[in-house]
Amino acid sequence: MRHFFSSLLFLLTLHFPILHGFELPWANQKHIQGNFIQEKRLAALSRPFVTQGKYQYSPETGLVWNTLKPVDNFLLINQDGVSEKQADGSFKMLTTDANFSAMLLPVFSGDPQELAQYFKISENSKGLTLDPRDPNVSNVMQSLDLVITEQALQQIILYESNGNLTNIYLEAHTQLKEKGQ
């Protein structure tokens, strides 16, 4: 479970280009979905731990993070916190830490002003680097790099304070149609 939270924290730290007045390519997309591949590199292991799945974001629901391989796991991250879908279809709250959700959701909404509340944002050669403002977050995460293309967020690289590294590759970004369209 800690691996998942580290990965989510990494996702939260996706960079939002507010530095020089530019918008993130996905800022105007209210509903997005796609596939992800996540590689967690632990200092103690010679090979990365790889997971695959689907994600979906909407302002009304929040972020759905559905890991499909190697195990099926369904998380919902919204303003209330993080909850996990149980075998009976109900949801169990894993954390009610609103700060965690508040940090993660702006990455997917593309709201650079909201993200700047939690991170010092700087440009790098492939996108943005996010450095946490909160010392408690710095104990877990050193920084996040967001690799951005003209159309979308392509990759999130999470540098953990303990030396571990997580790469999240986001693929097949599509905008969901609004209800009634």
Side-chain angles (χ1 to χ4, degrees):
M1 190 55 49
R2 180 181 166 111
H3 168 57
F4 178 76
F5 285 121
S6 295
S7 299
L8 285 179
L9 184 59
F10 171 72
L11 287 176
L12 267 178
T13 57
L14 290 179
H15 53 79
F16 286 83
I18 189 170
L19 296 176
H20 300 294
F22 59 93
E23 287 187 18
L24 296 174
W26 60 95
N28 295 323
Q29 299 178 7
K30 295 201 181 265
H31 305 272
I32 58 172
Q33 67 181 3
N35 301 317
F36 71 85
I37 297 172
Q38 178 177 296
E39 296 177 349
K40 177 84 171 175
R41 297 186 180 277
L42 304 170
L45 299 176
S46 61
R47 298 172 66 184
F49 179 72
V50 179
T51 59
Q52 296 178 327
K54 298 177 181 280
Y55 70 94
Q56 183 174 327
Y57 170 82
S58 73
E60 300 82 20
T61 306
L63 177 64
V64 173
W65 193 256
N66 187 196
T67 302
L68 299 170
K69 294 178 184 178
V71 294
D72 194 1
N73 186 27
F74 188 98
L75 294 175
L76 175 62
I77 299 100
N78 58 27
Q79 295 302 327
D80 297 328
V82 179
S83 56
E84 181 177 40
K85 190 172 188 178
Q86 303 299 296
D88 66 0
S90 66
F91 283 86
K92 176 184 176 185
M93 288 300 283
L94 299 177
T95 178
T96 56
D97 184 354
N99 289 330
F100 175 77
S101 298
M103 289 173 56
L104 180 59
L105 295 174
V107 170
F108 289 90
S109 72
D111 186 338
Q113 295 165 341
E114 200 171 327
L115 194 58
Q117 293 178 33
Y118 301 100
F119 299 97
K120 296 173 195 167
I121 303 170
S122 58
E123 292 181 77
N124 64 45
S125 63
K126 295 183 179 182
L128 298 175
T129 296
L130 303 178
D131 294 310
R133 294 184 184 277
D134 185 331
N136 292 323
V137 175
S138 295
N139 290 335
V140 177
M141 177 186 63
Q142 187 176 19
S143 68
L144 273 177
D145 281 349
L146 301 180
V147 177
I148 301 171
T149 65
E150 291 181 18
Q151 297 82 26
L153 177 62
Q154 186 176 32
Q155 181 182 3
I156 300 167
I157 306 166
L158 170 64
Y159 299 93
E160 296 179 37
S161 298
N162 63 7
N164 294 336
L165 175 77
T166 303
N167 279 305
I168 300 173
Y169 302 94
L170 302 173
E171 317 175 318
H173 304 305
T174 58
Q175 181 172 356
L176 298 174
K177 294 191 181 208
E178 302 283 337
K179 291 181 181 177
Q181 285 188 359

